[in-house]
């Protein structure tokens, strides 16, 4: 018999992560093993990969037999997690017949939710680790948010361009343009590699930067007309990583 | 000549009550007599009864000749009451020709509104008093709000079930479920009668719990496949009572 | 070669003014000359005139050669100005080829926006100065806002009526009515001229009172079935003036 049971006193990290995932992915497989809970999937349009890990350290109680795979509707899970009060203790567990995920919230009242496990085929998901990025940088996420919001008034894509000591985010519309330049005097914490330039879809970037709720510094890797990897890492607790295909120009 | 004139320094109780009524009833008869102002009507679908009383104690000035019946559009009245400022003195009165309700707000400025009296037939309204409920309980309204909001992510109805010393609110959707259990360690203040179980429509419950703005404890009475009575009572000031038909299961 | 360059440390006055203008006018000519920046245009329905001036004193740096006329989409300009952070220094300038307005924001990052100059024909705009108003008054703008919001629940127009020592704003719907009376004990600061009465469209008034963000006292001039002039003046800094055609009754 498979066992999975995990108790959490602060639901915010899990809820924020599921909220971010739900922006990109409708349903997918949450995997629980001895290290913690993970989620790894491609969006329907195969433009983005989400790779999320929640360390077992985050849980007060964490029990699992082997590897448990739970196919879940991400938005339904989010709706349940949003019902947890700030002082509630949250328990996730596999139902005895292994057909449902149970979510229990214990506070002044005791509340039990259950949602069905879905039969989801595990597809091939590109790994964010095996790519040869030419440029790597670390940046405060509010700067990325600013660049993305600036661009939204002009166009639906955003060019990232690294120079020797600065990152430039640039958009050109029919006759308008927006450009943000940040260097180490701003929120750019580090920049390595050779100058590169690539264009990415704005709507995906907008959804991915919600990962900022997990960590306020993002590690970004990209190249010339190359995928971008964005990583939000909260050490020993959680990591939310994205891979985003470039919009290659004609 | 009929006379009705009532002056109020704090409009919030009346405005909140009219707001709650407006969720369920489009137009109806507000009755003013020596005890105060009352409103008693069935919703259009004849699923719910609203029974509201505002005691004459609440008014600074209260004058009425006999019983005055004023047919009013509830939402129009609400829109006017919402225009009152926190420091305004509010005066309700019947116009001289008895065709309108006048609403005067006196603060730094003097504002006068008038709205027409409607010719509404007074229907038969079931009384919330003449039913033989098997279960009665008192509960903090935030608990009911929580149970109703939990249920909304699963289904459109909610089962109330009383046990020996606990109240359970339960919903089952196609494959999901939600359940809230509260006892005297939570927000359940009292529970009397024998175990009962009945299902009620969620949309009505959601509207009725807005009555929580009148009192933060609700008295709930129900039975087995039986109507539910919900009462919010602010002693010597106001009472808002509802009767709600059960959704009897096949 | 034409030169225009203006640097601003507090963007709020300009942004609020452009926001107010954008409610009424889609695109128009911003004029920069030795006195500052001005905007003067009629709305598409030719019901209202907007006359805005921003004094060069407001700018930290202000350079202009002669008179520069820049045809701009007002909403696009607003969207850019809204992107400025509270601590950003804002620079407006004409591009070298005189085809664009550049907007630079310097804070922790450096951001550059550009928007195209449009070829807009300068129409004849009635001046708010050459009219013979019979009544002039000064009033705190929250009172006007209150009268306009009161009226909105009854009708789509508002009658302004001046008496010897009071201003009355009155609306009559099919069977409902609203009336606000203010005198010197309320927010009416001064009132001169002979009694007058005129009706104005509510939607325009609602948009114009957003000018309250420039000054919290409005100077209002009107007459009998006559245009209304509303002026919000922030001395030495900015003035926002409107002219509004009356809705003459049959």
């Amino acid at each position: 018999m498979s066992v999975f049971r995990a108790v959490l006193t602060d639901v915010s990290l899990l809820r924020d992560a599921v909220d971010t995932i739900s922006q990109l992915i409708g349903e997918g497989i949450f995997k629980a093993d001895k290290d913690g809970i993970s989620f790894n999937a491609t969006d329907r349009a195969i433009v983005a990969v989400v790779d999320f890990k929640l360390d077992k350290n985050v849980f007060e109680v964490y029990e699992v037999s082997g590897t448990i795979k739970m196919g879940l509707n991400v938005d339904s899970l989010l709706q349940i997690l949003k019902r947890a009060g700030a002082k509630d203790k949250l328990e996730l567990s596999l139902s005895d017949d292994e057909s449902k995920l149970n979510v229990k919230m214990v506070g002044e009242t005791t509340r039990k939710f259950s949602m069905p496990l879905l039969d989801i085929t595990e597809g091939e998901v590109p790994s964010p680790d095996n790519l040869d990025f030419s440029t790597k940088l670390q940046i405060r996420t509010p700067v990325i948010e600013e660049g993305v919001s600036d661009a939204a008034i002009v166009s639906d894509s955003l060019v990232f361009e690294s120079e020797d000591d600065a990152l430039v985010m640039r958009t050109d519309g029919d006759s308008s343009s927006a450009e943000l330049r940040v260097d180490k005097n701003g929120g750019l914490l580090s920049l390595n590699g050779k100058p590169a330039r690539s264009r990415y879809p704005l709507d995906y970037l907008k959804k991915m930067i919600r990962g900022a709720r997990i960590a306020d510094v993002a590690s970004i890797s990209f190249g010339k007309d190359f995928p971008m990897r964005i990583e939000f890492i909260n050490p020993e607790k959680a990591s939310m990583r994205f891979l985003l295909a470039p919009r290659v120009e004609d």
Side-chain angles (χ1 to χ4, degrees), chain A:
Chain A
M1 191 187 123
S2 301
V3 169
F4 167 63
R5 183 168 163 265
V7 178
L8 202 56
T9 46
D10 178 7
V11 74
S12 60
L13 199 58
L14 176 60
R15 187 190 53 217
D16 289 347
V18 171
D19 190 358
T20 304
I21 294 171
S22 76
Q23 300 289 316
L24 291 160
I25 315 258
E27 51 185 50
I29 296 172
F30 286 78
K31 214 174 282 185
D33 62 20
K34 63 180 172 44
D35 298 323
I37 296 176
S38 61
F39 182 91
N40 181 233
T42 302
D43 82 306
R44 192 177 286 267
I46 324 186
V47 170
V49 170
V50 176
D51 184 73
F52 168 66
K53 287 188 173 56
L54 188 63
D55 198 284
K56 69 169 197 298
N57 289 331
V58 165
F59 298 93
E60 194 171 294
V61 175
Y62 188 84
E63 302 165 1
V64 65
S65 60
T67 297
I68 305 286
K69 296 182 182 179
M70 295 171 287
L72 295 174
N73 179 301
V74 183
D75 194 56
S76 299
L77 176 59
L78 176 61
Q79 284 191 58
I80 291 175
L81 295 177
K82 279 185 170 172
R83 296 299 311 145
K87 293 177 180 169
D88 284 349
K89 183 170 287 201
L90 189 87
E91 180 188 294
L92 305 170
S93 64
L94 190 63
S95 70
D96 289 345
D97 66 358
E98 301 178 22
S99 74
K100 293 188 176 179
L101 175 68
N102 291 328
V103 183
K104 190 156 99 177
M105 298 169 194
V106 181
E108 289 215 338
T109 57
T110 299
R111 296 143 74 199
K112 292 179 189 165
F113 296 83
S114 75
M115 58 183 291
L117 299 192
L118 309 176
D119 189 15
I120 297 174
T121 310
E122 215 172 343
E124 192 70 25
V125 179
S127 164
D129 294 317
N130 303 333
L131 288 165
D132 191 21
F133 299 104
S134 65
T135 301
K136 298 191 181 190
L137 59 92
Q138 286 195 300
I139 192 166
R140 295 198 192 285
T141 45
V143 178
I144 302 288
E145 289 171 349
E146 200 163 54
V148 166
S149 297
D150 284 356
I153 66 178
V154 170
S155 177
D156 65 352
S157 69
L158 181 56
V159 172
F160 279 72
E161 195 171 334
S162 65
E163 301 182 350
D164 280 346
D165 56 1
L167 172 69
V168 179
M169 288 177 258
R170 180 179 291 137
T171 336
D172 289 284
D174 285 345
S175 50
S176 302
S177 65
E179 179 192 298
L180 180 154
R181 172 181 299 263
V182 58
D183 58 23
K184 283 170 189 167
N185 298 317
L188 186 66
L189 305 181
S190 71
L191 173 62
N192 296 296
K194 54 184 182 189
R197 183 184 188 285
S198 207
R199 180 185 296 271
Y200 303 97
L202 206 56
D203 50 348
Y204 279 87
L205 288 168
K206 203 181 282 188
K207 290 168 177 176
M208 290 172 174
I209 54 177
R210 292 172 73 117
R213 289 182 293 178
I214 286 172
D216 56 5
V217 170
S219 297
I220 293 183
S221 308
F222 68 110
K224 185 178 176 317
D225 293 333
F226 202 76
M228 171 176 281
R229 183 176 69 195
I230 311 181
E231 300 172 301
F232 299 98
I233 295 178
N234 189 328
E236 317 256 303
K237 290 189 169 174
S239 70
M240 174 74 82
R241 309 198 302 163
F242 301 102
L243 201 59
L244 176 61
R247 185 174 286 184
V248 180
E249 296 163 88
D250 305 322

